[in-house]
Amino acid sequence: ATSARVEQTGSNTSGGWDAEAAMMRATRCLLFVGLARETAAFLAYQSVIPNGANVKDADGNPAPGVGHILTFGTGDRNAFGLDFAAAYREWSEELCRKDSDGDGQSNGLELGDPDCLWQPGMEPQRTIDISHPGDPKSLTLAAAVPVPAPSSTPRPAPTLAPTPVPTRQPTPVPTPAPTVVPTPEPTPAPTPASTPQPTPAPTPTPTLAPTPAPTPQPTPAPTPGPTPS
């Protein structure tokens, strides 16, 4: 009976170990899958920022998880990771000129794109001395490197273009003074003709009746006297 109980106890213990081991394997698989996804994600993000695969931490060690607090890109985001997410995970001029970690150096300067001209697929302006834009202890010395002076090859003097002969402007024809049109005098309103007063008919001079000529009296014939006997 004692041996049977020992055998049963060993069997139960072995089954418990198997279950625990199975759970541990499942947990490890889930962690591995999650880690693989996050690793694939930040590896993809490395190609959308200049020198994404060349970033070094303050100790000079590679820091592939540029946007995360942990070096290998898991866990919470650092200041640069938050700004990168706010920029829709794209390298923009605003994100380039921003100083995410507050160390006095812009993100573009730390990542080798001080003039903010880089685009995906281009060669960054600088590929060495790359610092971490999310770690205030990580600084680049590139800011202290003077820009090389341009070559002293003398530039050819520009060929002076001949001075064009000024085009003679035609003598402007004087504009004749406008003829002053005399202001017409207003036509006087016609004076209404006065109604002529009727000329009084001349008073006719009374015609004098002709004085009748005196009728001559017949001269009486002399009466013959008696003839004397």
Side-chain angles (χ1 to χ4, degrees):
T2 303
S3 62
R5 284 196 300 271
V6 170
E7 183 179 354
Q8 183 178 4
T9 303
S11 177
N12 292 338
T13 304
S14 177
W17 287 345
D18 290 343
E20 184 177 354
M23 290 182 63
M24 290 181 65
R25 285 196 298 270
T27 302
R28 288 175 182 175
C29 288
L30 291 175
L31 290 175
F32 178 79
V33 171
L35 180 61
R37 287 181 177 177
E38 291 192 13
T39 302
F42 73 71
L43 287 177
Y45 294 149
Q46 286 180 357
S47 63
V48 296
I49 61 175
N51 289 302
N54 298 332
V55 178
K56 304 292 181 62
D57 61 14
D59 297 326
N61 300 317
V66 184
H68 293 267
I69 295 177
L70 297 180
T71 302
F72 290 96
T74 59
D76 295 334
R77 297 187 181 101
N78 55 30
F80 176 76
L82 295 175
D83 290 339
F84 180 68
Y88 303 101
R89 296 178 173 82
E90 295 180 353
W91 185 249
S92 63
E93 182 176 357
E94 181 181 359
L95 179 62
C96 173
R97 299 192 183 281
K98 195 168 186 178
D99 179 11
S100 296
D101 55 9
D103 58 3
Q105 295 183 337
S106 68
N107 297 331
L109 177 63
E110 295 199 67
L111 291 175
D113 184 26
D115 297 329
C116 301
L117 302 176
W118 183 87
Q119 293 182 359
M122 294 176 57
E123 180 74 13
Q125 185 175 347
R126 189 184 75 253
T127 57
I128 59 174
D129 196 11
I130 305 302
S131 58
H132 200 306
D135 183 358
K137 297 180 181 179
S138 175
L139 298 172
T140 179
L141 299 178
V145 178
V147 178
S151 60
S152 59
T153 304
R155 298 178 60 184
T159 304
L160 298 178
T163 305
V165 178
T167 304
R168 185 175 181 180
Q169 297 293 330
T171 304
V173 179
T175 304
T179 303
V180 179
V181 179
T183 304
E185 296 183 1
T187 303
T191 305
S194 57
T195 304
Q197 297 294 325
T199 303
T203 303
T205 304
T207 304
L208 298 175
T211 303
T215 303
Q217 294 292 325
T219 305
T223 302
T227 308
S229 8

